[in-house]
Amino acid sequence: TQAVYASGKIYPLNDYKVFSKLPGYIEKIHVHVGDSVKIGQALITIKSEVSELNVNTAKNILDLAQKNANENSAYTTALEQDVASAKVKYNLDSANYYRYAILMKNDATSRVQLDQSKTQFEISKQNFLKASNSYLNAKDKIRVELENARIQYEAQISNRNDYTITSAVNGKVYDIVPKEGELVNTQMTLMEVGDSKRFEVELSVDETDIA
């Protein structure tokens, strides 16, 4: 008969340590050591001013994007006015070029004046096309910015919800490390939770005893 000595600990099955995804202050501890918990049950609520600021900033950006996307917004109105002004100039220079072309046929004007009117017409045409394309590109940009702002706002809301940490298993609370009001970070263990009825033993045995 040989005696083999070992040291170790007893752990509940499905044992896991609870961490926070984001730093903050412990606002509320919803359970006590020894309490039975179910999946999804709230364990700890963490409050962070940074998270609230991020949510508010994302909301302001979303509001601005929605304002710019409005058909009657100052931004879109200014772009529409630029297109309208370029179109008026284009139509005017087009009419002048047409008039000088008729005068040239009747030898009532010079080639220089015709060429000048043609050059001005081409410039106005390009400016009108440029203003129109800028307006269309701006509309697409506004649409994309609005969608991105909405996604970012929803992401910040989701991050804020992460501050209420819930149980991942049906089991029991075995340890609570921090107290309410304490500052915690993502590296700190907040709780230990595991199965309430099934356990396992982890033993450390000296290698000389293994044989």
Side-chain angles (χ1 to χ4, degrees), residues 150-164:
R150 182 178 292 110
I151 292 173
Q152 184 62 28
Y153 176 66
E154 291 174 354
Q156 292 299 333
I157 290 294
S158 178
N159 286 339
R160 185 173 64 181
N161 291 338
D162 285 339
Y163 280 88
T164 299

Side-chain angles (χ1 to χ4, degrees), residues 66-80 142:
Q66 289 175 334
K67 182 178 179 180
N68 289 336
N70 193 310
E71 294 183 358
N72 298 323
S73 69
Y75 183 65
T76 55
T77 299
L79 293 174
E80 290 172 353
I142 289 172

Side-chain angles (χ1 to χ4, degrees), residues 22-23 27 31 35-36 42 49 51 62 66-67 74 94 100 125 130-132 137 156 158 162 168 173 183 192:
L22 300 169
E27 184 178 37
V31 293
D35 285 355
S36 296
E49 295 178 357
S51 176
L62 176 60
Q66 289 175 334
K67 182 178 179 180
S94 176
Y100 275 107
K125 179 180 179 181
K130 181 180 178 180
S132 299
N137 291 335
Q156 292 299 333
S158 178
D162 285 339
V173 178
L183 178 65
E192 289 189 32

